[in-house]
Amino acid sequence: MRNRRVAALSVLLLILGTAGAAPAMAADPQFPPGNTGFHTYLEMAAEVKATADAHPAIIHRFSIGKSYSGRELWAVKVSDNVMTDEAEPEVMFDGLHHADEHMSQEMTLAILKWLTTGYGSDTTITNLVDHREIWIIFGLNPDGATYDIAGRVYHHWRKNRQPTPHSSAIGTDLNRNYDYRWGCCGGSSTNPASSRYRGPAAFSAPETRAFRDFVKSRIVGGRQQIRTAISFHTSGRLVMYPYGYTYVDLPADMSAMDHRTFVAMAKTMAASNGYKPEQASDLYISSGTSRDWLYGRYRIFSFTFELSPNTPAYPPDEAIPSETGRNKGAVLYAIDLADCPYRAIGASARQCRITVTSRGVKR
């Protein structure tokens, strides 16, 4: 643990020496006693940097933007020929939309570890890294997550830390702030004091705008390159697919084949990790989510994984290895199916017009 603290301090000193750095960056509270196995923001940033520095051939580290308080929103690309934008299938993972869901950030760090330690030694992982472009966004809500552990106690804080105009309330629920069906159907709040406050407008939060701009940047030649995505949350051990905004299984903005594919993929991943597969609205109505936005706008086969059991509200750090580890098979499956999600229902030849060879995918 001491080495991680030293690495985080080094990152902090680097940040403080940067012109224009936000004052909020100087504060990095620790987790409550007994839960220091979770990564603080600076510990996460230090680990990502150290891993990228150790594996420059397959990892490119970058920021997709800044949080309200000026924290970098760190991400990596994992692929062979990592500095070249190759015509390879793409997949995206993200964590920490919600500040108090710290296990979700641990999940993204686990994926990074699997890909780097397995490359060159694990045939499956090596093949996937060689024939995919894998994007990992580690913590979309670092301001809220840092506030959530202030004083080394948990505050059950869900939102970001952006002030609301004409209100004394703080924070927007980032996962109610996307513009697909934003505020349409319940499942979010217009009350700035609510934990599910959707913001005064879609994409009013700098964090969701950064996420939006990154996803839009992956449109190449008029086509969205990201084909599968998983957003990690807690809790309940669920694999959820669109839509959350409606109880209808097959609304007008989803094709029957896409619905079949979502169900098949969810069942396969749930069989791997022991979670329950369901349409997102089976849990409750939620509008303006990243999952619905990714599919509704770009037809990305996007899923929400709810990690950890429902209790306790904050799982202990001893649960990190088992809770992240149980998702390894599902994560590799999502990476694999990025070439053509319709393979899940045996429809790849018709829907994707791809040829799979020993050297990868030809379109």
Side-chain angles (χ1 to χ4, degrees):
M1 187 65 65
R2 181 179 180 276
N3 289 340
R4 201 166 87 188
R5 299 279 188 260
V6 171
L9 178 60
S10 298
V11 171
L12 174 59
L13 292 174
L14 177 64
I15 292 170
L16 291 176
T18 302
M25 289 301 297
D28 193 16
Q30 298 302 309
F31 276 85
N35 259 353
T36 56
F38 286 96
H39 288 72
T40 67
Y41 171 75
L42 287 178
E43 289 170 353
M44 174 275 290
E47 183 162 321
V48 171
K49 183 180 186 303
T51 306
D53 289 347
H55 301 274
I58 61 168
I59 299 180
H60 170 53
R61 181 185 70 118
F62 62 100
S63 171
I64 65 168
K66 292 181 183 290
S67 69
Y68 172 77
S69 296
R71 292 179 171 87
E72 300 287 354
L73 304 176
W74 291 114
V76 296
K77 174 186 176 183
V78 184
S79 188
D80 70 334
N81 305 315
V82 70
M83 298 308 294
T84 302
D85 191 359
E86 297 184 293
E88 293 179 334
E90 300 185 15
V91 55
M92 180 177 68
F93 303 100
D94 72 79
L96 212 62
H97 262 80
H98 290 141
D100 55 353
E101 298 176 0
H102 303 284
M103 187 68 80
S104 65
Q105 180 172 266
E106 300 303 318
M107 188 68 238
T108 60
L109 290 168
I111 296 171
L112 180 65
K113 183 177 181 180
W114 297 334
L115 297 178
T116 52
T117 60
Y119 188 73
S121 60
D122 181 292
T123 301
T124 297
I125 289 176
T126 302
N127 186 61
L128 290 175
V129 171
D130 283 347
H131 297 108
R132 300 288 184 272
E133 294 187 337
I134 304 162
W135 308 98
I136 308 172
I137 302 171
F138 295 94
L140 200 67
N141 190 358
D143 299 348
T146 299
Y147 175 80
D148 187 54
I149 59 173
R152 303 200 73 177
V153 296
Y154 288 126
H155 295 276
H156 298 272
W157 186 261
R158 174 183 173 94
K159 302 184 288 184
N160 75 351
R161 294 296 296 168
Q162 179 182 16
T164 301
H166 313 296
S167 171
S168 61
I170 298 291
T172 292
D173 183 343
L174 299 183
N175 208 35
R176 300 295 185 271
N177 193 235
Y178 292 85
D179 75 351
Y180 194 76
R181 306 291 182 175
W182 178 79
C184 74
C185 322
S188 65
S189 177
T190 59
N191 179 2
S194 169
S195 64
R196 287 178 170 77
Y197 176 55
R198 63 184 180 232
F203 294 121
S204 58
E207 297 89 352
T208 56
R209 291 197 300 272
F211 189 90
R212 174 200 65 191
D213 293 346
F214 170 71
V215 172
K216 288 176 68 175
S217 78
R218 299 314 307 148
I219 299 175
V220 179
R223 180 176 180 180
Q224 175 57 248
Q225 302 301 298
I226 300 170
R227 298 300 298 128
T228 57
I230 300 176
S231 182
F232 295 105
H233 291 253
T234 62
S235 57
R237 288 184 174 164
L238 303 172
V239 175
M240 300 194 298
Y241 53 88
Y243 283 113
Y245 81 85
T246 177
Y247 290 118
V248 178
D249 291 345
L250 188 57
D253 50 355
M254 178 181 289
S255 73
M257 182 164 285
D258 283 5
H259 182 260
R260 286 174 53 208
T261 300
F262 270 121
V263 171
M265 290 183 67
K267 287 182 176 179
T268 298
M269 291 188 287
S272 172
N273 60 16
Y275 289 9
K276 178 183 177 182
E278 65 181 28
Q279 184 171 318
S281 58
D282 289 345
L283 181 63
Y284 48 67
I285 288 290
S286 55
S287 56
T289 66
S290 66
R291 173 199 58 245
D292 283 11
W293 176 76
L294 287 169
Y295 176 73
R297 294 290 184 214
Y298 296 109
R299 291 300 182 257
I300 295 170
F301 282 85
S302 57
F303 296 84
T304 300
F305 277 26
E306 295 283 354
L307 307 168
S308 306
N310 279 322
T311 55
Y314 288 93
D317 59 6
E318 306 94 78
I320 294 172
S322 60
E323 196 59 37
T324 58
R326 69 192 297 146
N327 284 294
K328 185 174 183 179
V331 165
L332 297 182
Y333 175 80
I335 297 172
D336 182 35
L337 258 67
D339 64 346
C340 183
Y342 298 106
R343 284 200 288 120
I345 58 172
S348 59
R350 180 170 70 254
Q351 290 301 112
C352 297
R353 295 188 294 276
I354 62 173
T355 300
V356 181
T357 72
S358 61
R359 296 178 61 84
V361 176
K362 295 181 179 179
R363 295 186 180 276

